[in-house]
Amino acid sequence: MAAPREVPERRPFGRRFLTDPTRLFQHNAWDNVEWSEEQEASARSKVQENSSQLLPEDKQEEYEVNAKRYWDDFYKIHENGFFKDRHWLFTEFPELAPNRNPSQNGDSVHEFSNKTESNNEGLGSCENGHCSLETRAENQLNLIKSTPRIHTEELAAQKYKELNQSDGGYPGSSASYRILEVGCGAGNTVFPILQTNNDPGLFVYCCDFSTTAVDLVQNNAEYDSSRCFAFVHDLCNDQSPFPMPDESLDVVILIFVLSAILPEKMQCVVNRLSRLLKPGGLILLRDYGRYDLAQLRFKKGQCLSDNFYVRGDGTRVYFFTQDELDDLFTTAGLEKIQNLVDRRLQVNRGKQMTMYRVWIQCKYRKPAAPQL
């Protein structure tokens, strides 16, 4: 890759590097780094190269059919150790914080926070091509034994039916502010929200394709069924039930989850989620951008289709452009509040490695009901 354009020196993000002099000059990062035309052309060339050999259709079908098993295996191996709690959420998405202010719903565009979790250790989080924002958690979630939970969507549907028949409502029906996180994993977004936002009217739903991931959330010591409801859900299945009715949610969170879905199914997924929002409700997204480090590191034979790849562990990932995401959300009837790309430079001086990350952050709002 060509040498990067010279960028002004900026404060390294991550407080631990400011307070640990032994590492201050080992790991640095700069956000909003501009790419030269030569650098972008080099990235484009690498993608063309690693996309030149597509997997056979029968192999691609196998990854689609067994997607749940691959994600279950992922969480069985990593449990909650692969991801770090996303405390940057409240800087980037103030809608999730206490004392929410409707004027904060995105008329201004925020820069990506310098507190964003990053792969400052170089390759530590890039195993099997995941290259996520997160490093291993400094404080592991405290798991405890508990009674058996809902494990399948069929059992979940029965549970929702029982709840509706028993009290005429649904989980969180009495809440005044409802949040759903899709693709909750081990709870690294849900638990910071519950720990930080003590609004008595708050109720948080969280779901995942992986039964193992939902078990990790439900078995966590911080899980409080009076404020949170975790359930197994297949976003791509139109018949898969949600525990809440349409137009009942204030916020839907999508963090590195839409990219794991078959591209042909993304529009249907966004449409379904849009129907859950109240008028004025928001979808908040953060995901992989085109030419991210993770995309450039894929080898020939791992590409499924344009910008869609399979990792070594069988999980899949897509790399977006801003226009693609805008098309998905506006087609679902949502209004753009924010759609920005952040190109971040990470330098591991100890290993003499330069790494470029590309992420996209979006906020889209459901139009308010017309005044009669």
Side-chain angles (χ1 to χ4, degrees), residues 55 59-60 63 70 128-129 298-299 301-305 308-319:
L55 268 70
K59 195 68 176 177
Q60 295 199 34
Y63 285 118
Y70 288 123
N128 288 325
F298 279 107
K299 307 299 182 185
Q302 292 181 272
C303 189
L304 301 166
S305 60
F308 191 46
Y309 301 82
V310 62
R311 303 181 178 101
D313 60 7
T315 62
R316 297 168 298 174
V317 60
Y318 186 84
F319 297 88

Side-chain angles (χ1 to χ4, degrees), residues 155-221:
L155 287 175
Q158 179 62 32
K159 182 67 174 177
Y160 308 153
K161 183 177 179 180
E162 291 173 0
L163 284 167
N164 291 341
Q165 290 176 342
S166 63
D167 60 9
Y170 55 92
S173 59
S174 62
S176 58
Y177 198 74
R178 303 184 192 94
I179 296 172
L180 166 66
E181 190 200 4
V182 180
C184 62
N188 304 88
T189 293
V190 169
F191 292 118
I193 293 174
L194 292 173
Q195 292 160 0
T196 304
N197 194 334
N198 57 4
D199 181 347
L202 173 71
F203 195 88
V204 181
Y205 306 90
C206 57
C207 65
D208 202 282
F209 193 31
S210 166
T211 302
T212 305
V214 173
D215 283 343
L216 286 169
V217 172
Q218 292 177 330
N219 291 334
N220 189 282

Side-chain angles (χ1 to χ4, degrees), residues 206-368:
C206 57
C207 65
D208 202 282
F209 193 31
S210 166
T211 302
T212 305
V214 173
D215 283 343
L216 286 169
V217 172
Q218 292 177 330
N219 291 334
N220 189 282
E222 298 291 332
Y223 185 73
D224 181 353
S225 60
S226 68
R227 305 182 66 216
C228 182
F229 187 77
F231 59 101
V232 178
H233 186 84
D234 181 359
L235 271 179
C236 298
N237 180 0
D238 286 337
Q239 305 305 312
S240 181
F242 284 109
M244 76 293 290
D246 288 351
E247 297 195 350
S248 63
L249 298 178
D250 295 275
V251 177
V252 171
I253 308 170
L254 291 167
I255 298 181
F256 297 98
V257 62
L258 196 59
S259 55
I261 293 171
L262 194 68
E264 301 92 281
K265 297 183 178 182
M266 290 179 183
Q267 188 64 66
C268 180
V269 166
V270 174
N271 292 347
R272 290 189 71 206
L273 295 174
S274 174
R275 290 196 292 269
L276 293 175
L277 288 174
K278 299 176 181 177
L282 288 171
I283 286 185
L284 310 178
L285 173 141
R286 203 171 190 184
D287 220 320
Y288 295 102
R290 190 69 48 84
Y291 306 144
D292 179 63
L293 167 72
Q295 183 176 19
L296 303 186
R297 281 189 171 158
F298 279 107
K299 307 299 182 185
K300 286 184 180 180
Q302 292 181 272
C303 189
L304 301 166
S305 60
D306 288 347
N307 305 297
F308 191 46
Y309 301 82
V310 62
R311 303 181 178 101
D313 60 7
T315 62
R316 297 168 298 174
V317 60
Y318 186 84
F319 297 88
F320 292 100
T321 64
Q322 289 171 278
D323 288 344
E324 286 173 338
L325 287 167
D326 188 65
D327 285 344
L328 285 171
F329 290 121
T330 55
T331 299
L334 304 178
E335 302 172 338
K336 181 175 72 174
I337 304 301
Q338 180 188 85
N339 183 326
L340 62 89
V341 62
D342 182 57
R343 292 178 174 85
R344 180 161 296 183
L345 167 63
Q346 297 178 3
V347 178
N348 184 320
R349 299 188 186 279
K351 296 183 179 180
Q352 297 184 330
M353 294 178 59
T354 300
M355 300 168 289
Y356 288 90
R357 306 311 311 272
V358 182
W359 305 311
I360 297 179
Q361 180 168 302
C362 296
K363 298 182 184 183
Y364 280 79
R365 180 165 54 202
K366 190 170 188 175

Side-chain angles (χ1 to χ4, degrees), residues 22-138:
T22 64
R23 302 179 68 184
L24 181 60
F25 300 104
Q26 295 299 311
H27 306 89
N28 298 88
W30 294 262
D31 56 6
N32 297 316
V33 174
E34 293 185 15
W35 282 23
S36 67
E37 292 181 5
E38 182 182 4
Q39 186 176 353
E40 185 147 350
S42 176
R44 190 181 304 113
S45 176
K46 286 191 176 184
V47 168
Q48 289 174 348
E49 180 182 354
N50 70 24
S51 304
S52 61
Q53 179 182 334
L54 299 182
L55 268 70
E57 288 188 13
D58 59 336
K59 195 68 176 177
Q60 295 199 34
E61 180 66 21
E62 177 186 331
Y63 285 118
E64 173 69 8
V65 170
N66 296 316
K68 185 179 187 302
R69 176 170 64 82
Y70 288 123
W71 279 110
D72 277 337
D73 290 344
F74 173 84
Y75 284 105
K76 286 175 184 176
I77 293 170
H78 297 284
E79 293 188 339
N80 56 326
F82 188 80
F83 302 102
K84 184 178 180 181
D85 288 351
R86 296 155 173 165
H87 297 289
W88 51 265
L89 281 170
F90 310 109
T91 301
E92 302 305 329
F93 299 135
E95 299 81 4
L96 306 176
N99 303 316
R100 3 169 245 285
N101 183 343
S103 67
Q104 289 179 312
N105 281 0
D107 291 332
S108 62
V109 174
H110 298 281
E111 211 173 71
F112 278 82
S113 169
N114 279 344
K115 295 180 183 178
T116 299
E117 303 137 69
S118 61
N119 179 15
N120 291 298
E121 300 301 329
L123 301 180
S125 296
C126 290
E127 296 173 4
N128 288 325
H130 279 279
C131 279
S132 67
L133 290 175
E134 299 80 355
T135 56
R136 289 191 176 275
E138 295 172 1

